[in-house]
């Protein structure tokens, strides 16, 4: 059973403890890792995402209706679905956390500056590697077991890893983006982005 309450979709679920109503925003499709890995639409989704952010397009075409969650060296921040149409050109700045400085010292950056520019440079690099449901650790990054925030643990994901941008730093200049993917109406959509990086 489903019911619209305000602007939210609520779904009745059955659990060992009985039936409950849950906001659809907190439900994820169950897709076996094998099926996810062999779904050609996932690679197409990633390519379309790259094209959209390269042309300042509308992220709603590839993102979950629940919005986009971004974990930028901290707990995920939710960007509502309705804001994603123009987020790539929005001049609003945010204080994105950094492992190297206190939040007060971090200059404000737009969504495009903090997220899409970094993702594109990683995704389009000739030596970029991708993995499916496998965390990638850089030379001094967090342990793989902690690469994916617990809020995204229910989702399959693609890892996009650019190992070395500057060899002068002995492999300690790298970026990994994890793209968490849900399925809505049977099709893959992006629900979360997580960055792990070290840059001089």
């Amino acid at each position: 059973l489903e019911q619209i309450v305000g602007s939210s979709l609520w779904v009745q679920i059955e659990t060992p403890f009985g039936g409950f109503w849950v906001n659809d925003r907190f439900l994820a499709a169950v897709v076996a890792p094998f099926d996810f890995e062999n779904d050609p639409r996932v690679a197409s989704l990633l390519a379309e995402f790259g094209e959209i952010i390269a042309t300042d397009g509308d992220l709603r075409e590839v993102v979950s209706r629940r919005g986009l969650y971004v974990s930028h060296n901290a707990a995920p921040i939710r960007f509502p679905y309705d804001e994603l149409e123009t987020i790539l050109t929005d001049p609003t700045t945010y204080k994105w956390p950094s492992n190297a400085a206190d939040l007060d010292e971090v200059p404000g950056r737009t969504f495009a500056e903090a997220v899409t520019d970094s993702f594109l440079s990683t995704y389009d690099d000739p030596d970029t590697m991708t993995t499916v449901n496998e965390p990638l650790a850089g030379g001094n990054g967090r342990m793989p077991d902690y690469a994916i925030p617990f809020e995204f643990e229910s989702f399959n994901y693609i890892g996009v890893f650019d190992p070395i941008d500057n060899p002068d730093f002995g492999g300690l200049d790298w970026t990994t983006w994890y793209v968490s993917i849900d399925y809505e109406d049977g099709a893959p959509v992006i629900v979360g982005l997580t960055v792990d990086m070290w840059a001089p």
Side-chain angles (χ1 to χ4, degrees), residues 88-146:
L88 298 176
T89 56
D90 189 336
T92 303
T93 59
Y94 306 89
K95 289 282 194 172
W96 301 93
S98 167
N99 294 330
D102 293 330
L103 191 58
D104 293 338
E105 301 171 353
V106 175
R109 292 182 290 164
T110 65
F111 183 96
E113 290 169 338
V115 177
T116 59
D117 293 351
S118 172
F119 180 87
L120 273 181
S121 67
T122 303
Y123 181 69
D124 288 338
D125 199 290
D127 64 352
T128 290
M129 303 183 311
T130 59
T131 62
V132 179
N133 291 330
E134 181 182 341
L136 292 158
N140 59 344
R142 61 185 129 185
M143 295 176 64
D145 290 347
Y146 302 102

Side-chain angles (χ1 to χ4, degrees), residues 109-189:
R109 292 182 290 164
T110 65
F111 183 96
E113 290 169 338
V115 177
T116 59
D117 293 351
S118 172
F119 180 87
L120 273 181
S121 67
T122 303
Y123 181 69
D124 288 338
D125 199 290
D127 64 352
T128 290
M129 303 183 311
T130 59
T131 62
V132 179
N133 291 330
E134 181 182 341
L136 292 158
N140 59 344
R142 61 185 129 185
M143 295 176 64
D145 290 347
Y146 302 102
I148 304 298
F150 76 89
E151 293 91 341
F152 298 161
E153 287 179 356
S154 297
F155 303 107
N156 290 291
Y157 64 89
I158 300 294
V160 182
F161 176 60
D162 182 10
I164 301 173
D165 283 330
N166 189 334
D168 294 339
F169 291 96
L172 299 181
D173 182 10
W174 54 271
T175 304
T176 302
W177 279 96
Y178 298 104
V179 183
S180 297
I181 295 174
D182 194 8
Y183 280 69
E184 292 176 354
D185 302 321
V189 291

Side-chain angles (χ1 to χ4, degrees), residues 27-72:
L27 295 176
V30 177
V31 178
F34 176 83
D35 294 334
F36 177 74
E37 185 172 2
N38 290 283
D39 185 347
R41 297 175 299 171
V42 172
S44 298
L45 175 70
L46 209 58
E48 186 177 358
F49 176 62
E51 291 173 11
I52 288 172
I53 62 178
T55 58
D56 294 333
D58 184 350
L59 282 182
R60 296 177 305 172
E61 296 177 23
V62 293
V63 168
S64 166
R65 63 179 171 255
R66 71 186 60 164
L68 178 65
Y69 291 80
V70 179
S71 176
H72 198 284

